[in-house]
Amino acid sequence: MTGATSETTFRTAIVPAAGLGTRFLPTTKAVPKELLPVVDTPGIELVADEAAQAGASRMVIVTSPGKEAVADYFRDSPELEHALESKGKTELLARIRRAPGLLDVETALQEQALGLGHAVAQAEPNLTDDDAAVAVLLPDDLVLPTGVLSKMAEVRARHGGSVLCAFDIPKDRISPYGVFDVSDTDDGDVKRVHGMVEKPAPDEAPSTYAAAGRYLLDRAVFDALKRIGPGSGGELQLTDAVALLISEGHPVHVVVHRGGRHDLGNPGGFLRAAVDFALDDPEYGPALREWLTDRIGGTAD
Ligand code: UTP
């Protein structure tokens, strides 16, 4: 990126994965939802891949007691590698080496699920003086096609401050989301943010731009996180820290992402993602398409 410095780009991605996963019970009693496979790849590897592609060199996974398996997934498996090597299974070998090779992985511990803002705050001790900004990626939100973080870094280079990601959602379907109050800039896909309303009725929504799980946050957010109290649901909300920064004049923009998304955090959204990815898979796609067509009684085309 021309002219970009560590002031405007980021090298650390924070991935909060310490939530209770209540929407995915009973499975999440024992299996972290971040490890559920979209076809054969855990959602968190897809998100780590996205962060690495956008230039992150390390990922801080915020975990909770009992969810160590999420970070373990990014460690080398020498015995398994040896077994696959001796059997000449080179493709599988490459697949299992992929996640550990994407970026450096560290963990931060959130002892109790006190909210997304609280989870992000736990990663502050992992940062160094180079981290003028950090990316935050929610691992249960797949934003497709990938690449929005790079555009967000460009917007920070131009406008400074923090940059969030939004989807343009039809007004009648806006109610489940956090919705931005925005004004236009000279780029149609970049808006200046003045505030945010959580889960508004369609008539009260300040815009049709709904928040997605990608953030590029100026380091100032960690100071703001120390100055907010519990918000919606009694939790420390990341959006409340961003709102505090906005009220103090910190520039916040959104990039409007023109693409799709999957919510991996509930069974319905997860199934859609799995089917979407599987239909594009050269190995499983054709047979799945045929079976699905037969199952729903339509035609293949
Ligand atoms: P979600 O609300 O989607 O996840 O939070 P959750 O809390 O696990 O899910 P439900 O509502 O109980 O089903 C978005 C992201 O923030 C993380 C979650 O792990 C998820 O990736 N999170 C949330 C934390 O790390 N800590 C928290 O206290 C809350």
Side-chain angles (χ1 to χ4, degrees):
M1 195 184 301
T2 14
T5 67
S6 65
E7 279 295 305
T8 54
T9 54
F10 64 95
R11 63 177 199 113
T12 300
I14 298 174
V15 177
L20 297 177
T22 45
R23 287 168 297 157
F24 234 125
L25 283 169
T27 296
T28 41
K29 274 170 71 186
V31 183
K33 64 179 171 182
E34 295 78 12
L35 292 180
L36 297 177
V38 181
V39 187
D40 59 1
T41 305
I44 197 154
E45 180 175 333
L46 301 175
V47 166
D49 194 15
E50 177 187 343
Q53 275 180 40
S57 57
R58 67 185 188 131
M59 173 168 75
V60 182
I61 303 176
V62 184
T63 55
S64 57
K67 282 183 94 176
E68 293 79 13
V70 179
D72 287 347
Y73 179 74
F74 290 91
R75 292 191 222 294
D76 293 324
S77 335
E79 282 181 23
L80 181 57
E81 286 181 33
H82 183 69
L84 294 175
E85 218 158 17
S86 62
K87 289 186 178 136
K89 295 192 183 282
T90 46
E91 255 180 54
L92 272 181
L93 194 58
R95 282 296 289 118
I96 67 157
R97 282 180 174 156
R98 198 164 175 279
L102 283 172
L103 25 60
D104 296 331
V105 172
E106 294 173 22
T107 55
L109 192 64
Q110 187 189 29
E111 296 274 0
Q112 268 183 294
L114 297 178
L116 177 58
H118 182 260
V120 170
Q122 306 315 302
E124 189 181 12
N126 295 65
L127 304 185
T128 69
D129 291 347
D130 288 343
D131 291 303
V134 294
V136 175
L137 295 87
L138 303 193
D140 51 9
D141 197 355
L142 287 188
V143 177
L144 302 164
T146 54
V148 73
L149 277 172
S150 302
K151 169 89 178 177
M152 290 161 69
E154 282 168 34
V155 172
R156 176 169 150 88
R158 182 157 175 222
H159 297 283
S162 298
V163 186
L164 314 185
C165 175
F167 278 80
D168 197 358
I169 306 263
K171 210 170 178 141
D172 57 336
R173 284 196 270 132
I174 201 89
S175 290
Y177 298 98
V179 181
F180 296 110
D181 179 6
V182 295
S183 58
D184 290 339
T185 69
D186 57 10
D187 180 335
D189 288 340
V190 178
K191 312 282 173 194
R192 172 97 189 219
V193 181
H194 304 288
M196 205 174 161
V197 182
E198 278 299 332
K199 302 185 177 26
D203 287 348
E204 279 153 29
S207 74
T208 55
Y209 300 114
R214 299 292 178 272
Y215 309 76
L216 179 57
L217 299 171
D218 188 275
R219 185 140 182 177
V221 78
F222 290 96
D223 179 57
L225 282 167
K226 292 180 190 116
R227 294 187 285 126
I228 56 165
S232 147
E235 298 187 336
L236 286 180
Q237 299 292 351
L238 187 57
T239 47
D240 287 348
V242 174
L244 178 59
L245 289 176
I246 292 172
S247 73
E248 294 170 347
H250 179 91
V252 176
H253 291 80
V254 283
V255 169
V256 182
H257 183 65
R258 313 282 176 189
R261 76 191 295 193
H262 289 299
D263 179 1
L264 302 181
N266 71 84
F270 179 83
L271 278 170
R272 271 165 72 152
V275 171
D276 191 21
F277 276 60
L279 285 172
D280 286 343
D281 187 283
E283 188 176 348
Y284 307 114
L288 177 66
R289 184 176 301 273
E290 205 177 310
W291 181 83
L292 271 178
T293 307
D294 191 39
R295 175 71 176 75
I296 62 178
T299 56
D301 306 316

